[in-house]
Amino acid sequence: MSYSPSDIESKWQTKWSEQQAFEPLDDKSLEKKYILSMFPFPSGRLHMGHVRNYSIGDAMARYYRKQNYNVLHPIGWDAFGMPAENAAIKHGRHPKDWTYSNIAYMRKELKTLGLSFSETREFATCDELYTKWEQEFIIKMFEEKLLYRESTTVNWCEECHTVLANEQVEEGCCWRCDNEVELKEMPGYYLDIKKYADELLDDLKLLEGKWPSQVLAMQSNWIGKSQGLEFSFKLSDSSKEKLENKFEGFEVFTTRPDTIYGVTYTALAPEHPIVKALMKYELLDAEVIEKITAISNMTEVERAKAGKEGFDLGITVIHPLTNEEIPVWMANFVLASYGGGAVMSVPTHDERDFEFATQYNLPLKYVIEGGEEGEAYTGEGKLINSDELNGIKNSEAKVAVIKLFEEKNLGKGTTNYKLRNWGISRQRYWGAPIPFVHCESCGLVPEKVENLPIALPEDVEITGEGNPLENHPTWSTCACPKCGSDAKRETDTLDTFVQSSWYQFRYATDPKKWNECGIDKDDVNYWLGVDQYIGGIEHAILHLLYARFFTKALRDLGFIEDLKEPFENLLTQGMVLMDGAKMSKSKGNTVDPDALIEKYGADTARLFTLFAAPPQKELEWNDSAVEGAFRFIKKLYDRKSKVTSNEMPSIDQSSLNKEEKIARAKIYEALKKSVDVYEKTFAFNTLIASCMEALNALDKQQNEQVWTEGLYIITHLLEPIIPHVCAELSEELFKSKNLTSGKIEILEEVFVQDSITLGVAVNGKRRAEIEVDAGASKEEIIAMAKESIAKWLEGKNVVKEILVPKKMVNLVVK
RNA sequence: GCGGAUGUGGUGAAAUUGGUAUACACGCCAGACUUAGGAUCUGGUGCUUCACGGCGUGGAGGUUCGAGUCCUCUCAUCCGCACCA
């Protein structure tokens, strides 16, 4: 019978499901592997990126399962989020209905790919049972002061009608809809991720060599730790008076204390309290006030685009070392959210300060040797014009100045981070409600744990106008959990990234306990860290940073034990491209996985995906290469007639002819390679190539035993990649023994060939090829080599003879 | 600007510790079988040259008997962050 993928694949998918073949075992004495592909958002249909992601993960899971590991390979649904609400607005469907029916459809799609997921551990993050435990964590975080509510300037996306975290703003635009983000002052809930800044940074070291260096670098940059000096400028007496003695001065942070003597002005952010006070008391021209207000309303990106702008504030401060009087400016490039919103400006040794000073004719004072007049010198050098510090290297001066300030009690060495706290409030319906209550007398009160989950009301009108929870007639009305009086329920919902920050622990928790607890410590102790995590690079900061933070926080809150990092190893898969561009509906360059499976079968889809490029690289779609993958499977299937025994034969190597020996060697080379591929490099493309070579070599000989051994090993090796056809062949030919009896031993004897082909090079340049007996001595080989390149030796002397065993001969002549 | 990567045939890509560059596949060319082929099979296929040969892993040097691989410099492309003081 010829190869019919649809029959074979549905047969095995049914069988696996009936046998619950992919459920992890309870026995914690077994060696485990936790293989996790990032869970999908239930958008409605799978795309090729999913196929790639899950094909990679499945190959690993199946490999380890075959090596008798206890394997956890779960799947679920990252199910809250905006698109569900957008669908509701557009098509009038309830988000819940839309989400769960998408899940049902995509679950079927996943099944047709033959992925070896656990079926009992599947969940959607919008399941109320999941929300329940998440709300418990949130309350605990509030109690432990890790979560707080605050009114502050936030990133607001008008299109999505919600606040965004800093991580969700890309070049000033919303990560989801690309709408320009506005600034808005409003209350919201924050997680104190900065508390973990140092640990998040330091523990990146534990991941070196296990996570892509790019991701580590991105996280490190995002945390943005910098060390320097913090000190305050005192206002001059006249300025103090001007400000009605409301301010003594202001704090600044600098990473360049070595340039302290070069300060010629200071600059404040437009949001700085002193600037606000000056405006309030109308101590600035009306025109200036207007302009500063305009800048305040601009986003950081708009300010950057606008170029530098500033105004002399008409006040002065005293230099802490020289006691000189220094002007204070407002500058649009000073960030309110970093370093106290104020800077000391050293135009001679800082590009930005230089640009600003030139623009407004502010004085320059060089304090490091080495630069040229008329530019900012940011290099190294000795100090000048710096009193007692003159002559020392600026790198040493950094430390010296901090010490000096500390001794004189003027300031202190300190650390700053770019990382900002994680704003988790979203003004949307389709999310997990934030479980707090606003009470007139008690203030902000967490819901009682026994009342969880605080579930979403289903009878809502979703129009895109305002927050449906706020508009609901009764939902937000409640009793205060503390005093019992009338109160109002919080209508903000949690950022969806909260759900994906702990799902790895939920999977690890035995589903039999899902009603009793959110996370089971023992189960997590056994299964975590995730041995291999696989997903797209687009999550390098967002999800991966949040999940790392949550792991540390949940540990400190006692929900899990002593776990530093959730994801032990990370593989970031490349994008799937077509015509050099990312596949997307709007570009119309997509391939529908369903159609692909319909035409060629899941095995072909999986084989192509893993063969066309290594998983870390981009994958360019190629229809005819898909045909090629299909042809290979067909060929493999056709060769089943060559097998004559259902046992692994024991072959007498010495009785084989040359072609038979080559075929055997190719087979065992592939077997040898497979360990590295499956456990280390994930270069599935090279393993598949080796199997193809082995099959090509088998085709060049007729020995039934070699054929039997060959197919026994090839189907064993390829089962993680093309599981259906291999399961079918294995069952029919070998009673499935090659898939169930663990490792196959590598026989070194097969690598010994009768004769070896060696390259012959003269002065490193390849000139000829010789075939030598396997047992030939060095002398014999050199003699043959010389003969083969006789014409190159005419009139020359061989000064050196190099033999690289089994590879080549190099003769150095003069 | 800072950080991270990547440059190998017509294409996707291979290449243990430095050891025959281009495995495997796609495409292309030729042939076979066919009424036909966008099916299947066989063979060929880095560039250049009539040929001997020469040249070939972005470029330039270096180390070495020998470099895609190691070192120095340089160019190009991609990705991330970006006025973080």
Side-chain angles (χ1 to χ4, degrees):
Chain A
M1 219 179 74
S2 69
Y3 173 55
S4 163
S6 58
D7 293 338
I8 293 173
E9 293 180 1
S10 63
K11 168 187 159 183
W12 283 97
Q13 284 159 15
T14 308
K15 205 163 176 165
W16 291 330
S17 204
E18 280 168 5
Q19 293 173 344
Q20 297 222 318
F22 308 126
E23 295 308 320
L25 306 172
D26 287 337
D27 184 352
K28 290 197 174 76
S29 67
L30 298 169
E31 273 211 80
K32 66 90 188 178
K33 288 286 174 186
Y34 185 175
I35 309 294
L36 184 62
S37 287
M38 289 180 184
F39 64 169
F41 176 78
S43 57
R45 293 181 83 88
L46 291 186
H47 54 67
M48 288 311 303
H50 291 127
V51 173
R52 192 177 197 194
N53 195 172
Y54 303 131
S55 296
I56 295 164
D58 200 49
M60 298 179 187
R62 285 180 178 270
Y63 170 79
Y64 282 116
R65 214 175 273 118
K66 204 161 42 162
Q67 310 290 328
N68 296 322
Y69 281 87
N70 191 14
V71 173
L72 175 56
H73 185 224
I75 188 76
W77 310 93
D78 190 11
F80 275 134
M82 294 275 315
E85 269 182 87
N86 292 342
I89 295 161
K90 219 168 158 187
H91 309 297
R93 287 185 69 181
H94 194 282
K96 185 173 182 179
D97 169 46
W98 182 85
T99 302
Y100 280 100
S101 69
N102 281 353
I103 288 174
Y105 184 81
M106 290 172 77
R107 185 187 292 125
K108 252 193 266 171
E109 286 187 298
L110 286 178
K111 196 157 184 181
T112 63
L113 274 168
L115 301 166
S116 67
F117 290 126
S118 158
E119 292 181 2
T120 62
R121 296 193 182 220
E122 182 193 319
F123 60 81
T125 55
C126 62
D127 293 345
E128 283 180 16
L129 194 54
Y130 193 80
T131 299
K132 171 178 169 162
W133 301 111
E134 186 163 298
Q135 288 172 336
E136 188 185 330
F137 301 146
I138 290 297
I139 289 169
K140 185 83 176 171
M141 286 174 173
F142 175 74
E143 288 167 356
E144 299 296 325
K145 309 263 190 293
L146 205 55
L147 184 150
Y148 61 93
R149 187 166 193 265
E150 177 182 83
S151 187
T152 179
T153 309
V154 294
N155 307 300
W156 175 266
C157 175
E158 186 55 35
E159 184 71 27
C160 297
H161 267 280
T162 190
V163 168
L164 300 171
N166 285 308
E167 288 81 357
Q168 293 162 349
V169 180
E170 294 167 351
E171 290 179 18
C173 296
C174 171
W175 69 296
R176 232 178 217 303
C177 72
D178 221 27
N179 191 45
E180 203 154 308
V181 168
E182 304 165 28
L183 295 181
K184 207 168 170 175
E185 168 99 18
M186 63 187 297
Y189 295 82
Y190 291 84
L191 284 173
D192 191 1
I193 190 170
K194 279 179 81 168
K195 192 172 166 187
Y196 288 87
D198 266 322
E199 198 184 339
L200 286 167
L201 184 66
D202 292 345
D203 285 354
L204 289 175
K205 287 193 199 82
L206 304 174
L207 301 172
E208 271 167 27
K210 300 171 164 191
W211 281 32
S213 57
Q214 189 189 179
V215 176
L216 296 176
M218 282 164 78
Q219 292 224 347
S220 169
N221 287 344
W222 190 263
I223 295 167
K225 181 176 183 168
S226 54
Q227 273 156 329
L229 171 70
E230 189 180 74
F231 67 95
S232 66
F233 278 108
K234 302 270 178 267
L235 283 164
S236 61
D237 291 341
S238 59
S239 300
K240 222 183 276 182
E241 239 170 76
K242 203 170 173 183
L243 282 159
E244 299 178 9
N245 291 314
K246 292 248 161 58
F247 298 91
E248 282 295 312
F250 54 85
E251 294 269 308
V252 295
F253 172 74
T254 178
T255 54
R256 296 296 306 275
D258 50 321
T259 64
I260 184 73
Y261 281 97
V263 176
T264 54
Y265 67 101
T266 64
L268 304 179
E271 292 86 354
H272 196 280
I274 290 181
V275 178
K276 284 188 174 171
L278 287 168
M279 296 204 295
K280 194 175 153 196
Y281 303 144
E282 296 186 357
L283 294 168
L284 297 168
D285 291 347
E287 198 190 341
V288 171
I289 292 179
E290 202 175 298
K291 284 191 173 157
I292 294 179
T293 311
I295 293 170
S296 305
N297 290 331
M298 290 165 90
T299 61
E300 283 179 18
V301 176
E302 285 169 338
R303 293 181 207 188
K305 276 191 200 143
K308 296 208 171 17
E309 194 180 4
F311 301 97
D312 189 345
L313 295 174
I315 53 174
T316 53
V317 288
I318 306 299
H319 190 291
L321 298 182
T322 65
N323 292 322
E324 276 175 298
E325 216 170 313
I326 295 170
V328 181
W329 284 63
M330 187 243 60
N332 67 340
F333 64 90
V334 178
L335 303 175
S337 50
Y338 184 82
V343 296
M344 66 174 217
S345 300
V346 185
T348 45
H349 303 289
D350 181 287
E351 305 276 3
R352 295 154 303 178
D353 296 345
F354 184 82
E355 194 189 328
F356 192 83
T358 315
Q359 201 173 320
Y360 293 106
N361 276 319
L362 292 159
L364 308 179
K365 183 184 172 194
Y366 285 88
V367 291
I368 297 174
E369 252 177 10
E372 281 174 34
E373 288 289 316
E375 62 172 40
Y377 175 66
T378 54
E380 304 282 300
K382 283 183 180 166
L383 263 59
I384 49 173
N385 298 324
S386 300
D387 282 1
E388 71 269 38
L389 299 169
N390 284 338
I392 68 169
K393 280 194 216 153
N394 75 302
S395 53
E396 288 162 24
K398 282 185 187 181
V399 185
V401 172
I402 292 174
K403 206 175 148 208
L404 186 70
F405 270 70
E406 284 176 348
E407 277 167 8
K408 295 192 174 180
N409 224 354
L410 291 170
K412 62 176 195 301
T414 183
T415 306
N416 251 310
Y417 302 89
K418 288 190 207 174
L419 182 70
R420 296 174 203 174
N421 278 342
W422 177 16
I424 52 169
S425 283
R426 296 294 178 273
Q427 290 66 34
R428 300 295 306 206
Y429 166 73
W430 193 234
I434 298 181
F436 293 103
V437 167
H438 303 275
C439 171
E440 290 265 340
S441 44
C442 309
L444 186 66
V445 184
E447 189 48 82
K448 286 183 187 156
V449 169
E450 55 266 35
N451 291 341
L452 302 180
I454 302 305
L456 290 169
E458 292 202 17
D459 54 333
V460 284
E461 237 185 293
I462 295 168
T463 58
E465 299 292 315
N467 180 347
L469 290 181
E470 223 163 54
N471 297 340
H472 192 279
T474 55
W475 186 76
S476 65
T477 310
C478 65
C480 170
K482 212 165 165 186
C483 71
S485 59
D486 285 352
K488 193 170 176 295
R489 194 174 287 297
E490 175 59 61
T491 55
D492 282 357
T493 51
L494 289 167
D495 183 3
T496 56
F497 281 97
V498 175
Q499 283 93 65
S500 51
S501 291
W502 67 282
Y503 79 121
Q504 67 277 12
F505 303 126
R506 186 63 169 171
Y507 283 141
T509 300
D510 188 333
K512 290 194 281 291
K513 304 172 193 163
W514 280 4
N515 274 309
E516 282 79 59
C517 65
I519 296 173
D520 183 87
K521 277 188 202 174
D522 289 341
D523 291 346
V524 167
N525 273 347
Y526 174 64
W527 286 112
L528 274 284
V530 172
D531 294 279
Q532 186 65 54
Y533 197 33
I534 307 130
I537 185 80
E538 64 272 20
H539 295 106
I541 296 177
L542 286 165
H543 161 60
L544 290 169
L545 187 67
Y546 293 149
R548 292 182 61 225
F549 158 65
F550 240 72
T551 299
K552 295 170 192 303
L554 288 175
R555 173 203 62 199
D556 290 347
L557 297 176
F559 288 103
I560 57 177
E561 280 171 12
D562 198 31
L563 179 69
K564 279 186 184 272
E565 289 292 331
F567 310 120
E568 196 68 26
N569 294 287
L570 174 68
L571 185 149
T572 48
Q573 106 232 17
M575 283 191 299
V576 183
L577 307 180
M578 181 122 133
D579 307 322
K582 185 182 179 178
M583 281 191 182
S584 79
K585 272 188 221 152
S586 58
K587 288 198 201 90
N589 61 344
T590 56
V591 172
D592 175 27
D594 290 356
L596 184 70
I597 293 166
E598 169 95 23
K599 187 165 175 196
Y600 297 104
D603 283 338
T604 295
R606 297 169 59 132
L607 182 65
F608 168 74
T609 302
L610 296 181
F611 180 56
Q616 299 88 341
K617 276 191 97 165
E618 290 180 335
L619 170 67
E620 176 71 33
W621 193 262
N622 181 335
D623 282 324
S624 44
V626 175
E627 294 268 1
F630 183 67
R631 262 199 305 272
F632 171 74
I633 297 177
K634 215 158 49 169
K635 180 169 156 188
L636 178 70
Y637 187 80
D638 287 344
R639 297 301 184 270
K640 69 182 181 181
S641 59
K642 305 279 188 183
V643 173
T644 51
S645 147
N646 58 37
E647 297 288 337
M648 174 84 156
S650 140
I651 298 173
D652 175 11
Q653 176 78 357
S654 64
S655 71
L656 301 181
N657 67 28
K658 193 178 166 189
E659 280 70 33
E660 292 161 353
K661 283 184 180 170
I662 290 173
R664 272 198 107 189
K666 290 279 183 195
I667 289 159
Y668 279 91
E669 267 168 34
L671 180 62
K672 210 171 194 176
K673 173 165 236 152
S674 69
V675 180
D676 242 28
V677 167
Y678 282 117
E679 298 184 13
K680 236 166 51 201
T681 66
F682 312 125
F684 302 112
N685 53 331
T686 64
L687 175 63
I688 294 164
S690 292
C691 289
M692 287 173 169
E693 274 188 76
L695 193 62
N696 290 344
L698 281 170
D699 264 332
K700 294 207 167 76
Q701 57 83 54
Q702 286 86 38
N703 187 311
E704 291 174 356
Q705 281 195 312
V706 174
W707 265 109
T708 302
E709 180 190 48
L711 287 184
Y712 189 97
I713 292 175
I714 290 174
T715 51
H716 168 86
L717 290 179
L718 290 180
E719 182 270 341
I721 295 165
I722 46 174
H724 308 87
V725 69
C726 288
E728 181 70 13
L729 289 172
S730 170
E731 180 188 56
E732 193 178 328
L733 303 175
F734 310 115
K735 300 178 181 164
S736 302
K737 261 178 292 188
N738 61 336
L739 302 185
T740 53
S741 49
K743 278 205 167 92
I744 297 174
E745 194 195 342
I746 298 168
L747 304 177
E748 294 294 335
E749 69 191 54
V750 307
F751 298 118
V752 181
Q753 299 291 329
D754 297 336
S755 62
I756 301 161
T757 307
L758 297 177
V760 182
V762 180
N763 291 342
K765 191 97 197 143
R766 186 175 179 274
R767 296 298 181 188
E769 196 170 79
I770 52 171
E771 188 156 330
V772 301
D773 206 70
S777 68
K778 183 174 177 182
E779 289 69 30
E780 287 171 302
I781 293 171
I782 298 287
M784 278 184 75
K786 281 181 182 170
E787 204 177 312
S788 73
I789 49 141
K791 59 184 273 203
W792 303 94
L793 299 180
E794 274 173 42
K796 306 250 170 98
N797 288 325
V798 176
V799 294
K800 200 166 182 183
E801 298 157 349
I802 295 146
L803 171 65
V804 184
K806 293 179 190 171
K807 300 269 184 189
M808 63 174 301
V809 178
N810 187 20
L811 300 171
V812 183
V813 304
K814 260 187 183 163

